[in-house]
Amino acid sequence: VTRDGKKIFSYELIAKFKKKIDYFILPVGDGNILSGCIKGFLELSKMNFMKKIPTIVGVQSKSSSSFYNQYIKNSEKPILSKANSVCDSINVDYPLDGFFAYKYLNKVKGKMMVETDKNIIKSKKILLKKFGINCCSSSASTFAILKKLILNKKINNKNILLLLTGTGFKDLSNN
């Protein structure tokens, strides 16, 4: 049920943005937002509301990488991995929606990446100081990965959407 609620977010994105979205980068905890968004994109594509599904990039902290581990090991079954990240919303030992998140991410040929908590916190500070965005650390992980992709010349001249949710007040001790 919650997956279908999350898929509505994909509908809202397509309704809001007139330009195509080339990359959609989002934080991943238990995998439910990931599976829901991809499910929505697949439905929209099937109904011809979008020509191409954006490249999906899921992000986890290296200190909380249970779904990342599942993904790189090509395991349909979620993998238990002790989580110890400062990124509260993605600090998950066992991704409860890991099966469907894995299924959907593979279906759209998306990818998973990890970043250190240190770089995520740096990115959170940049988002606040340079852009006035006070998001939670979990969301700032998407900006940390975007920086990495740009520096490594993996993304150039593309329309990129980051999922920045939560308030930075949630984890003030990380500022």
Side-chain angles (χ1 to χ4, degrees):
V1 171
T2 60
R3 185 175 312 108
D4 282 336
K6 305 290 192 286
K7 80 177 181 185
I8 300 303
F9 181 68
S10 299
Y11 289 29
E12 292 171 349
L13 287 176
I14 298 308
K16 171 94 174 144
F17 294 99
K18 302 305 174 204
K19 291 184 177 181
K20 73 175 175 116
I21 302 166
D22 296 309
Y23 284 84
F24 180 46
I25 305 174
L26 66 157
V28 177
D30 67 3
N32 193 246
I33 293 172
L34 178 72
S35 67
C37 286
I38 296 172
K39 182 178 182 181
F41 286 136
L42 289 167
E43 288 178 3
L44 288 164
S45 179
K46 187 176 181 179
M47 295 182 288
N48 295 317
F49 283 105
M50 59 189 311
K51 292 178 185 171
K52 184 179 180 283
I53 294 172
T55 298
I56 306 294
V57 180
V59 182
Q60 287 196 308
S61 164
K62 281 187 178 179
S63 301
S64 176
S65 56
S66 55
F67 183 70
Y68 173 80
N69 294 334
Q70 175 187 345
Y71 183 76
I72 61 168
K73 291 179 181 176
N74 276 335
S75 173
E76 286 188 349
K77 185 178 181 218
I79 294 174
L80 180 65
S81 179
K82 181 69 178 146
N84 190 27
S85 173
V86 298
C87 304
D88 180 66
S89 298
I90 59 173
N91 192 43
V92 174
D93 291 331
Y94 187 82
L96 294 177
D97 202 19
F99 174 80
F100 285 103
Y102 177 81
K103 174 183 157 186
Y104 282 119
L105 193 59
N106 275 319
K107 189 169 191 162
V108 298
K109 296 179 175 63
K111 58 181 127 185
M112 282 297 300
M113 297 181 73
V114 290
E115 186 54 89
T116 64
D117 281 356
K118 181 180 176 181
N119 284 337
I120 292 170
I121 297 306
K122 282 182 186 177
S123 293
K124 179 182 179 200
K125 290 176 181 177
I126 292 169
L127 284 167
L128 181 58
K129 289 178 181 169
K130 287 195 176 184
F131 303 104
I133 299 171
N134 188 19
C135 65
C136 68
S137 300
S138 300
S139 291
S141 68
T142 64
F143 187 65
I145 288 297
L146 175 61
K147 290 186 325 182
K148 182 183 274 187
L149 289 168
I150 291 170
L151 288 172
N152 293 331
K153 298 183 184 347
K154 303 286 184 187
I155 293 180
N156 188 19
N157 294 324
K158 299 292 181 185
N159 294 320
I160 303 159
L161 184 67
L162 305 179
L163 181 58
L164 299 174
T165 62
T167 174
F169 296 116
K170 206 169 126 170
D171 46 16
L172 283 174
S173 62
N174 296 335
N175 289 330

